[in-house]
Amino acid sequence: MNQTMQRSLEEGVNLRDLGGMPCTDGSTTRPGVVLRSCAPLYYSKEGLAYLEETLNVQAVVDLRSAGELKKGPYYPGTTSRLLAGGDAHAHMDLTGPATLKVLRRNTNCLEKLYLAAMYLAGYKEHVVEKAIHKLGLKEGGLKTLYSTILVDATAEIRSVMHFIHDKIAAKEVPIIIHCTAGKDRTGIIACLLLLLAGVPHDVIISDYAKSESNLRAHSYVIETQSQFIRDTMPHDILWLSPPEAMQHVLDVIGDVDTYLVHRCGIHHEVVAFIRQSMRH
């Protein structure tokens, strides 16, 4: 990695390249194919210029919910093609549909009617608080959140992988993957890509753990979330990236080919192409 690219990565907000990591076959992951980051809306004008001009980001995978998409730039007045949407952008909500599936399983008819009525009456925060309780996030924290995504967002994960495949095939790289903080949803997609490339588990866990210190250094990413979210969501979901949480992800995934092909429904040729493209 040249010094210019390294400096741009250091200027970013929880930004890093998935390239340059060792693989079990002695190769390394290919730089400049997939980057991971927090949402570009938290970047300054100079930070966005680094993404656009230095790294020459060509495509964006946005894993945020519909509600999160409404949030404007942290630095007022900043504009960028990375914030504008279009054909180079893919929005795949990795938590919303999965959360609804879990709630349908874990609530009876009366509870469903109650939550719907409260939501329509404008008590959205109350509904979110009840949903967090029903999902078991207070007790299970990150492990519960990650299990929910891996088990109930397989259709969305399939769409993400197909988009990545298509952009790599069209040589429209690098692709930047982000959610809000670039820690949890982004971390799961990054884990799948690194597993495909053959990166050892301990290296994947180490990369995931970097998000915690990165977010501490850019604490405004978390601190600018609504007071309700900061008061309601468990501390670990907002701030932490402990090794045991990523180990849980690896345990749930198991064999990555089996997970992607049989659980997510991705054709094995797509999986093989992404694997080859991720290796240097």
Side-chain angles (χ1 to χ4, degrees), residues 51 79 124 216 230 274:
L51 291 179
T79 59
K124 295 182 181 179
R216 296 287 182 189
R230 286 183 282 126
I274 295 174

Side-chain angles (χ1 to χ4, degrees), residues 9-29:
L9 291 174
E10 291 170 354
E11 290 289 331
V13 185
N14 201 17
L15 172 68
R16 49 201 185 273
D17 195 326
L18 296 189
M21 298 188 195
C23 301
T24 54
D25 65 356
S27 65
T28 58
T29 52

Side-chain angles (χ1 to χ4, degrees), residues 64-80:
R64 295 176 298 160
S65 67
E68 290 171 293
L69 293 178
K70 298 175 183 177
K71 192 163 188 176
Y74 177 74
Y75 296 95
T78 54
T79 59
S80 167

Side-chain angles (χ1 to χ4, degrees), residues 8 11-12 15 43-52 82:
S8 68
E11 290 289 331
L15 172 68
Y43 281 70
S44 65
K45 179 180 178 181
E46 293 75 19
L48 288 169
Y50 271 122
L51 291 179
E52 288 188 342
L82 300 178

Side-chain angles (χ1 to χ4, degrees), residues 80-176:
S80 167
R81 62 178 173 80
L82 300 178
L83 304 175
D87 292 341
H89 286 63
H91 172 235
M92 315 290 183
D93 182 353
L94 222 58
T95 50
T99 298
L100 288 175
K101 289 179 185 177
V102 176
L103 285 176
R104 289 190 190 104
R105 290 198 300 267
N106 294 352
T107 53
N108 59 40
C109 291
L110 286 176
E111 288 174 320
K112 288 184 178 73
L113 288 172
Y114 169 76
L115 290 173
M118 293 296 288
Y119 185 87
L120 291 173
Y123 296 100
K124 295 182 181 179
E125 292 185 348
H126 176 74
V127 174
V128 171
E129 193 167 7
K130 288 288 186 183
I132 289 171
H133 171 71
K134 282 291 181 182
L135 288 168
L137 292 180
K138 287 287 189 182
E139 300 79 13
L142 287 170
K143 291 182 180 180
T144 297
L145 174 64
Y146 294 169
S147 291
T148 299
I149 293 171
L150 288 166
V151 173
D152 290 295
T154 51
E156 289 73 24
I157 290 171
R158 179 174 64 247
S159 295
V160 169
M161 291 298 173
H162 277 286
F163 181 83
I164 291 171
H165 167 275
D166 293 347
K167 290 303 176 183
I168 294 174
K171 295 182 169 51
E172 296 176 10
V173 293
I175 305 159
I176 192 167

